[in-house]
Amino acid sequence: MAKVSPGEFVNQVRTEGSKIVWPTGRETIMTAVMVVIMTSLLGIFFFGIDTFFGAIVQWLLGFAAGQA
C-alpha cells in the first residue's frame, strides 16, 4: 500500500465523500416508518407464537402432573 501525505489523504476522503448519494428526507421517513411497521408485526407474530407454545407446555406439564 502506497503511503500518502495527510493532506493528500484528506483530499481523497473529500473526493470519495462527494460521490455519496444521500437519501432525501422523504425516503428516510418512509424507510423509518416501514421499519417500525415490520418490527411491530414481527413482535406481534412472535408474541403470539410464544403464547401458543407456552400454553402447550403448561398443558403438558399439568397433564404430566395429573398422571403422577
Side-chain angles (χ1 to χ4, degrees), residues 21-36:
V21 179
W22 296 100
T24 64
R26 178 171 165 74
E27 289 173 333
T28 303
I29 291 171
M30 291 301 293
T31 302
V33 167
M34 289 305 295
V35 167
V36 169

Side-chain angles (χ1 to χ4, degrees), residues 3-29:
K3 298 206 178 213
V4 295
S5 69
E8 181 63 26
F9 175 74
V10 170
N11 287 335
Q12 289 176 0
V13 170
R14 285 186 184 168
T15 301
E16 292 299 319
S18 68
K19 296 177 186 177
I20 297 172
V21 179
W22 296 100
T24 64
R26 178 171 165 74
E27 289 173 333
T28 303
I29 291 171

Side-chain angles (χ1 to χ4, degrees), residues 30-52:
M30 291 301 293
T31 302
V33 167
M34 289 305 295
V35 167
V36 169
I37 290 171
M38 291 307 294
T39 54
S40 298
L41 289 174
L42 282 171
I44 292 168
F45 172 75
F46 285 118
F47 175 76
I49 294 295
D50 183 57
T51 302
F52 175 72

